[in-house]
Amino acid sequence: QSALTQPASVSGSPGQSITISCTATSSAEGYYNLVSWYQQRPGRVPKLIIYEGTKRPSGVSDRFSGSKSGDTASLTISGLQVEDEADYYCCSYTGTWVFGGGTKLTVL
Amino acid sequence: EVQLVQSGAEVKKPGESLKISCQGSGYSFTKYWIAWVRQMSGKGLEWMGIVFPGDSDARYSPSFQGQVAISVDKSINTAHLQWSSLKASDSAMYYCARGGASVDNFDYWGQGTLVTVSS
């Protein structure tokens, strides 16, 4: 089973852009497209913000975007807002599902 | 409106059994997978397992295989997560989540069930 590595924390100022990476420790065919991202604000339930690597569910701001390169998927948040401060998790499906360790985003 | 409503918080002693539930509404319950996700205090999300209500097909993370049981009662649109003998290390928040139309994601989440295991 592949493990997913995320940075423990990232930070940015309002209006800036940040990118959170999610790297698979072992390659699996089809990994590249089957990555989802979740936002979890403090004390709240996780919320799906990106699926299939790059797609946004209805109602999710277009400030959130997903991409992939090699064994690394990335989440970019542009035009940072204070409300974006949260934990972010990637998740991959390669027959079973696995979450990354999570990244705490601080908006300074 | 799609909703997943979970059963309330539980306080149990080590060695006791427990079954928590997740009731779906607002969609065709038998057509979407239901997953269970653990979050220990201050820690990240861990995928535990998943069940397809249509045929009760259940799959488990290797980390949780044999430790819990996932089942479903489609007559009441409810999935269950069960322990036969709780340990203190099972103390955590447990979420159920619906598998989305695309296989890779979980699009709706329950509110969580807090399980506390303490002597």
Side-chain angles (χ1 to χ4, degrees):
Chain A
Q1 186 178 19
S2 175
L4 302 176
T5 300
Q6 298 181 232
S9 63
V10 299
S11 63
S13 299
Q16 288 185 332
S17 295
I18 63 94
T19 296
I20 299 171
S21 61
C22 172
T23 302
T25 57
S26 62
S27 299
E29 185 177 351
Y31 161 77
Y32 310 111
N33 293 325
L34 299 177
V35 173
S36 53
W37 289 90
Y38 301 83
Q39 176 193 63
Q40 187 179 31
R41 293 188 173 114
R44 304 295 296 275
V45 174
K47 174 187 175 183
L48 175 68
I49 55 174
I50 295 288
Y51 66 99
E52 291 182 11
T54 61
K55 299 178 181 178
R56 277 188 310 275
S58 173
V60 172
S61 171
D62 60 4
R63 297 186 299 104
F64 294 90
S65 61
S67 63
K68 53 192 182 290
S69 177
D71 289 339
T72 298
S74 297
L75 172 71
T76 297
I77 309 174
S78 59
L80 269 179
Q81 299 180 0
V82 172
E83 68 201 48
D84 297 332
E85 189 159 288
D87 294 324
Y88 291 85
Y89 297 91
C90 61
C91 178
S92 79
Y93 172 73
T94 55
T96 59
W97 291 260
V98 63
F99 285 97
T103 299
K104 182 176 182 61
L105 169 62
T106 301
V107 181
L108 304 169
Chain B
E1 177 193 8
V2 174
Q3 282 192 310
L4 296 175
V5 178
Q6 298 185 227
S7 50
E10 301 274 1
V11 179
K12 292 288 190 179
K13 290 181 166 47
E16 292 187 332
S17 63
L18 175 64
K19 186 184 229 182
I20 63 174
S21 66
C22 168
Q23 185 172 44
S25 63
Y27 72 100
S28 182
F29 184 74
T30 57
K31 295 185 177 178
Y32 293 82
W33 293 84
I34 293 286
W36 287 95
V37 176
R38 183 175 79 173
Q39 187 168 39
M40 301 178 79
S41 180
K43 303 297 185 183
L45 305 175
E46 299 174 89
W47 181 78
M48 301 176 68
I50 199 165
V51 64
F52 189 69
D55 61 6
S56 299
D57 178 19
R59 305 175 188 182
Y60 297 88
S61 162
S63 299
F64 292 93
Q65 180 83 46
Q67 307 305 308
V68 296
I70 295 172
S71 61
V72 66
D73 184 344
K74 58 186 179 183
S75 70
I76 55 171
N77 288 1
T78 299
H80 298 284
L81 177 66
Q82 185 170 9
W83 295 260
S84 59
S85 181
L86 287 160
K87 303 184 285 290
S89 57
D90 293 318
S91 296
M93 181 71 82
Y94 293 88
Y95 294 103
C96 65
R98 191 185 81 160
S102 170
V103 71
D104 70 325
N105 68 86
F106 306 108
D107 57 359
Y108 289 90
W109 292 65
Q111 83 277 20
T113 295
L114 182 63
V115 173
T116 303
V117 183
S118 174
S119 55

